[in-house]
Each structure stands twice: as structure tokens, then as C-alpha cells.
Amino acid sequence: MEETTPDRPGICDYEGSNYRTEFWEGQGRDYEDRVERVALKKLLPERGKHLLEIGAGFGRLTNEYTERYDRVVLLDYSFSQLEYAREHLGASDKFTYVAADAYELPFRPAKFDGVSMIRTIHHMKNVNGVLREIARVLSPEGVFILEHANKRNMKAIVRYALRRQSWSPYSHEPYEFVELNFVFHPHYMRDMLALNGFEVQKRMPVSFFRLGALKRRLPLNFLVKADDLLQNTGAFISPSVFVKSIRRAEVPYPKDITGSTSIPTDGMDVDPLFACPKSGGPLVREGDHLVSLKTGLRYAFRDGIYDFKAAVNE
Ligand SMILES: C[S@@+](CC[C@H](N)C(=O)[O-])C[C@H]1O[C@@H](n2cnc3c(N)ncnc32)[C@H](O)[C@@H]1O
């Protein structure tokens, strides 16, 4: 377990969890799954090259990207979630599986023209830190699709009005309702995106009917269609918000955009995509390992997954 720092203030660890079977499959969340796909279809560009899916989990939504992007990189902190995704989606060149921390993305700058992060930022205490990392790995004018849990949702508004809840859904600061589980005010997220070099293009409220009683009584297709229509109203009182942003081209990159280095790499098998998550420096391929020229840290490629969670010694 790595120590926590202000930049990396703890990780909500899904390693070995049954997230797929205990939260999704057979758990009455077809409605949530469907409306998230509707929102994604509206926001994703028609075509793209390289998409990074941050917090990809077991790959629930990955098939929404495969038709539109040439290559999809699934990144998650949980190795076991990625193992399932790989079993399920396969080992083709289309997919790359990366176990890593979103606060320290193991990529060179500007490598992706698309990034998505769905149902993941609510686990992040350092929103600024993760958005800064996303702006670093996105190419100029690359697209970022973010989903975040909405603090100002209908249930919270009603509970606050009835004094059943102490925290205000209207104040802008994030609220941590369970350790490493946050809800965010839509204005807070909009401001954080702007602060990190993103131009917000479209925001959509999603998942209005996330209520067991409604889901049990009304037909699924009806609820999905109604949500589809409400997504265009700008009524930000739903539990979930989707935001499409563009990385502003004029915002400078913190490091040399080419990822070049003063360390000589002539004749070495330098990886064109990855960079050392600790130093940002180049990684050289040595068999099943990527080795950092700057720090000597070695990262394993095992069972078809790049493992940046911890450096290895051998
Ligand atoms: C609620 S699940 C969502 C998975 C997927 N996006 C979906 O919607 O089905 C959150 C995921 O975020 C991952 N995660 C949490 N903190 C992370 C971090 N710091 N870096 C990378 N992944 C993280 C977890 O391992 C988990 O798989």
C-alpha cells in the first residue's frame, strides 16, 4: 500500500471486489446503464484515434468506444477488474490494459485524442490533481467526457428542505458522504475544468428516475426515453451529470510535449506511449518489463496487463 500525500490522498480500492455482480448484473440497474449509454452516444465524437478510459472497471461501457475509436486504453487501479475486462473483451490490438493510479498517469504528454471517466471522479479527493493529469495526456483540442455525481440532486434538495439532511446541496464545495465517496456541485466541476485548461462544450443531467419505486412500476423503455428527453433540458437536479470538454490548445503542457529527454536513448527500444509514473521520464522495453531510464524503476507486463501500481525488483 502506497502512502497517501496531498496529491494522492487515498484510493478507493476495488481490488478483488465483486463490483460487477454486486452492483450491476441482476441488481436492477438496467435503467442507469442504459441512460448512461444514451448520454455517451450523444457526447462522443463520431471518430477518434486513441481513447483513454479512466476507471474503466470491468469494461462495462467500453463497447461504446470501440466502434468510434481505433484503440482503447482501459486504465484502472484494480488489476482484478481489468483481468475480467480482458477476459471479456479479448486480447486484440484494439485494447490496452493498464493498472495504474489516475493521479499519476503512466503516459507521455498529449498521447490521447479522447479521455472518458465515468462513475470514477466521485472517488477522488484531489479533483484538481486528476484533471491536471488528464489535461497533460490529452492532445490539443482532445475531447474529455466526464461523469460526476451531482450534489444538487432532487433527493438531496427535498431532504435538505425537510431538514432530514444537514449538508446543503447548494454550496459549491464537494461533500464526502462516505470515506472517498464525494458528490460535486455542477458549478464546482465546471470551474475545476476551466481551471485546468478545459473548455466546457456541453453539460447534461442524466439518470432522473433513479428511484426503486419508479423503476419497478414504469416500463424500462419509457424511463429511458423520458431521461433521453430530459437530458437536453439543462435541469441539473439529476443524480448524475455528464460533461463534454475540449482541452484548450493554447494551454501549455507542463513538460516537453514530445516527451523527449536529455538522457541518450539511441538504439534503445523506447516505448512511444508510456512514461514512468514517478518521474515522467521515458521507459525502455526489456522483455516483459518497462524500465525507467531516469529512476531505474521497473514495471511488469503480466497476464496481458501493464502493471504500474508498484515497481518490481527483478
Ligand atoms: C464505480 S467504479 C466505475 C467503473 C466503470 N467506469 C463503470 O462505470 O462501470 C469506479 C472505478 O474507479 C477505479 N478507481 C478508483 N480510484 C482510482 C484511481 N485513483 N485510479 C484509477 N482507478 C481508480 C476503481 O478501481 C473502480 O474500478
Side-chain angles (χ1 to χ4, degrees):
M1 181 85 178
E2 289 201 47
E3 63 178 279
T4 61
T5 64
D7 278 348
R8 301 178 65 241
I11 294 172
C12 188
D13 201 348
Y14 281 59
E15 191 60 57
S17 85
N18 297 325
Y19 176 60
R20 177 176 62 86
T21 49
E22 286 179 3
F23 193 82
W24 288 107
E25 289 178 9
Q27 300 302 318
R29 290 198 171 87
D30 290 353
Y31 160 75
E32 286 84 344
D33 181 66
R34 290 263 307 270
V35 296
E36 287 171 19
R37 291 173 189 277
V38 169
L40 269 180
K41 284 189 174 76
K42 286 184 202 165
L43 296 180
L44 282 167
E46 283 300 314
R47 290 288 316 150
K49 290 196 180 93
H50 294 162
L51 179 103
L52 172 63
E53 185 182 7
I54 299 180
F58 63 90
R60 175 177 68 94
L61 294 170
T62 307
N63 60 4
E64 295 300 328
Y65 312 122
T66 46
E67 297 265 297
R68 304 194 193 206
Y69 282 86
D70 298 338
R71 180 176 175 187
V72 180
V73 175
L74 291 88
L75 180 140
D76 202 280
Y77 195 70
S78 161
F79 200 89
S80 58
Q81 296 290 317
L82 291 170
E83 277 181 312
Y84 179 87
R86 188 169 176 275
E87 270 168 36
H88 185 65
L89 295 164
S92 77
D93 286 350
K94 181 110 191 166
F95 302 112
T96 305
Y97 302 91
V98 180
D101 180 0
Y103 290 125
E104 292 181 343
L105 293 174
F107 306 108
R108 291 166 165 240
K111 281 291 165 186
F112 299 93
D113 56 339
V115 171
S116 77
M117 184 154 70
I118 314 296
R119 285 183 177 259
T120 298
I121 205 164
H122 68 278
H123 292 315
M124 312 251 156
K125 193 170 197 156
N126 183 2
V127 169
N128 197 43
V130 74
L131 294 182
R132 192 172 53 218
E133 271 296 82
I134 292 167
R136 183 181 67 79
V137 301
L138 257 181
S139 56
E141 300 193 352
V143 173
F144 175 36
I145 313 279
L146 171 70
E147 182 278 342
H148 72 85
N150 181 14
K151 184 181 191 188
R152 197 184 57 189
N153 65 71
M154 196 54 177
K155 186 172 161 198
I157 290 170
V158 171
R159 282 173 57 84
Y160 185 65
L162 297 175
R163 298 179 192 276
R164 294 236 183 108
Q165 159 182 313
S166 58
W167 54 273
S168 165
Y170 305 109
S171 63
H172 285 198
E173 75 286 352
Y175 178 70
E176 189 172 20
F177 57 97
V178 172
E179 194 184 4
L180 289 177
N181 281 268
F182 297 86
V183 281
F184 303 103
H185 193 285
H187 291 177
Y188 167 85
M189 202 51 89
R190 184 196 60 192
D191 294 348
M192 292 304 276
L193 284 161
L195 195 68
N196 283 283
F198 292 97
E199 181 189 314
V200 173
Q201 288 208 322
K202 193 164 171 61
R203 296 188 302 143
M204 291 192 330
V206 174
S207 220
F208 284 86
F209 307 113
R210 201 183 280 179
L211 275 175
L214 277 180
K215 290 195 292 180
R216 279 191 298 276
R217 284 185 179 84
L218 294 170
L220 176 61
N221 285 342
F222 171 79
L223 289 179
V224 172
K225 189 65 213 164
D227 202 275
D228 183 356
L229 295 173
L230 286 169
Q231 288 177 7
N232 306 319
T233 59
F236 289 100
I237 51 166
S238 56
S240 173
V241 173
F242 276 63
V243 188
K244 176 179 186 175
S245 315
I246 301 296
R247 189 211 187 277
R248 286 169 47 217
E250 69 276 18
V251 173
Y253 287 82
K255 290 180 193 137
D256 181 350
I257 191 166
T258 61
S260 69
T261 165
S262 52
I263 303 169
T265 52
D266 294 351
M268 292 182 176
D269 188 4
V270 177
D271 192 275
L273 175 66
F274 292 113
C276 175
K278 297 293 173 196
S279 68
L283 292 171
V284 171
R285 280 189 182 270
E286 278 184 20
D288 273 354
H289 290 88
L290 288 164
V291 183
S292 168
L293 290 177
K294 268 193 189 165
T295 60
L297 291 171
R298 299 168 68 82
Y299 300 97
F301 177 65
R302 57 185 177 98
D303 303 330
I305 299 172
Y306 290 93
D307 187 357
F308 288 97
K309 284 174 73 169
V312 289
N313 296 320
E314 80 276 13

